[in-house]
Amino acid sequence: MDATLIGNANKRPDNWLVLAELPFNDLAPVYAEMRKLRHAICGSFDPSTDNAISFYYRGYKFRAAKRGDHIDMLVSEPDCPADILFEPLAKLIPPLTRCSLKSHHEPKQPAAPIGGSSRAV
């Protein structure tokens, strides 16, 4: 993969927003999971020398960077939609799935009538 694809094409500095601090200390399995994401474009990664992984997911630039005993997951655009933000995290944290991201404020189904017939007249 061409590293310039992941590089800073617009020549402006990236402003990284931390999404999560993950309790991992090895980037190799993180890189393997990010490569499995459909629509992800990953840069090259050498576990013996690299301390970060850069990748694009659905047009947004992400980074996983090793910091001490944990890994920071970052995104370069603060206006990235929440469902896209959580997809890379969901690959690393199994309970974080699409169904757990549904709003708890969704309208409920109307209750069945009490004491009446459900037959149409």
Side-chain angles (χ1 to χ4, degrees):
M1 155 118 0
D2 184 5
T4 59
L5 183 62
I6 300 298
N8 194 347
N10 61 13
K11 305 297 182 204
R12 291 182 292 162
D14 288 317
N15 294 319
W16 294 102
L17 174 67
V18 177
L19 296 176
E21 292 180 0
L22 304 170
F24 307 129
N25 58 10
D26 185 7
L27 280 171
V30 174
Y31 181 70
E33 289 301 315
M34 294 306 101
R35 288 183 48 95
K36 292 178 189 176
L37 270 174
R38 189 174 177 178
H39 306 294
I41 301 171
C42 296
S44 60
F45 172 67
D46 181 355
S48 64
T49 59
D50 294 339
N51 287 328
I53 300 165
S54 294
F55 62 98
Y56 280 98
Y57 180 65
R58 297 191 181 268
Y60 293 90
K61 190 173 181 182
F62 288 84
R63 182 174 173 87
K66 188 172 180 180
R67 260 190 15 166
D69 63 346
H70 70 276
I71 292 173
D72 287 342
M73 183 65 80
L74 307 115
V75 65
S76 68
E77 295 185 39
D79 61 342
C80 181
D83 61 329
I84 293 174
L85 288 175
F86 286 114
E87 287 294 323
L89 293 175
K91 289 297 275 182
L92 301 173
I93 305 169
L96 201 58
T97 61
R98 282 184 181 264
C99 61
S100 69
L101 298 176
K102 288 184 180 176
S103 171
H104 295 284
H105 303 291
E106 292 178 2
K108 296 182 179 179
Q109 295 293 330
I114 297 174
S117 172
S118 62
R119 289 186 285 177
V121 213

